[in-house]
């Protein structure tokens, strides 16, 4: 069994920063791409950014500039640094990873439960 667990969310004032983390745990697996999505109340889930196992990154156009995705392969962890937070960044931030389990032919997409980010004064 593989699990993704996010942390680092919370209440922050406009203009502040947060660093979200998402760690994959389990045994006998390897991770391909990892990514962050977010879902605001009443809105569809949207892509924030993805990162390959080699460190290549891709950002949604609207996320470029204030969001930085990174990963530590040794820790099976992906991070999302968010700067200059705005109230419209308020959402549940959800981690995603394409994981290949040993003995399973194809990789599957795993999702975390999400961490709440609230930007308010």
């Amino acid at each position: 069994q593989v699990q993704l667990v996010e942390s680092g969310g919370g209440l922050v004032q406009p203009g502040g920063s947060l660093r979200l983390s998402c760690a994959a745990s389990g045994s006998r697996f390897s991770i391909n791409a990892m990514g962050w999505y977010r879902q605001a109340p009443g809105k569809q889930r949207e892509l924030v950014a993805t990162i390959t196992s080699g460190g290549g990154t891709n950002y949604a156009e609207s996320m470029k500039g204030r969001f930085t995705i990174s990963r530590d392969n040794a820790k099976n962890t992906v991070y999302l640094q968010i700067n200059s937070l705005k109230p419209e960044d308020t959402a549940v931030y959800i981690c995603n990873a394409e994981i290949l389990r040993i003995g399973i032919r194809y990789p599957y997409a795993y999702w975390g439960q999400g961490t709440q980010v609230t930007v308010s004064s």
Side-chain angles (χ1 to χ4, degrees):
Q1 186 75 3
V2 178
Q3 288 186 319
L4 299 178
V5 179
E6 301 99 333
S7 61
L11 174 64
V12 62
Q13 292 187 340
S17 298
L18 277 177
R19 189 192 194 206
L20 308 181
S21 300
C22 171
S25 63
S27 62
R28 298 169 56 80
F29 67 92
S30 61
I31 307 176
N32 295 336
M34 303 185 82
W36 287 95
Y37 292 72
R38 70 182 187 182
Q39 187 163 17
K43 295 187 177 181
Q44 288 188 330
R45 184 175 297 185
E46 63 176 341
L47 171 70
V48 176
T50 61
I51 185 168
T52 68
S53 56
T57 59
N58 177 62
Y59 294 88
E61 194 64 33
S62 61
M63 308 296 176
K64 291 180 180 179
R66 297 187 297 114
F67 295 80
T68 303
I69 190 170
S70 61
R71 66 190 282 176
D72 184 333
N73 291 333
K75 295 181 179 180
N76 293 324
T77 299
V78 62
Y79 305 97
L80 184 68
Q81 178 72 37
I82 315 173
N83 297 326
S84 302
L85 278 154
K86 305 175 181 180
E88 50 264 43
D89 293 321
T90 295
V92 176
Y93 285 73
I94 306 159
C95 173
N96 166 265
E98 185 182 76
I99 291 176
L100 179 63
R101 297 182 64 188
I102 305 303
I104 305 297
R105 186 171 183 178
Y106 300 107
Y108 286 91
Y110 285 77
W111 295 88
Q113 292 190 326
T115 185
Q116 177 70 46
V117 172
T118 302
V119 185
S120 175
S121 56

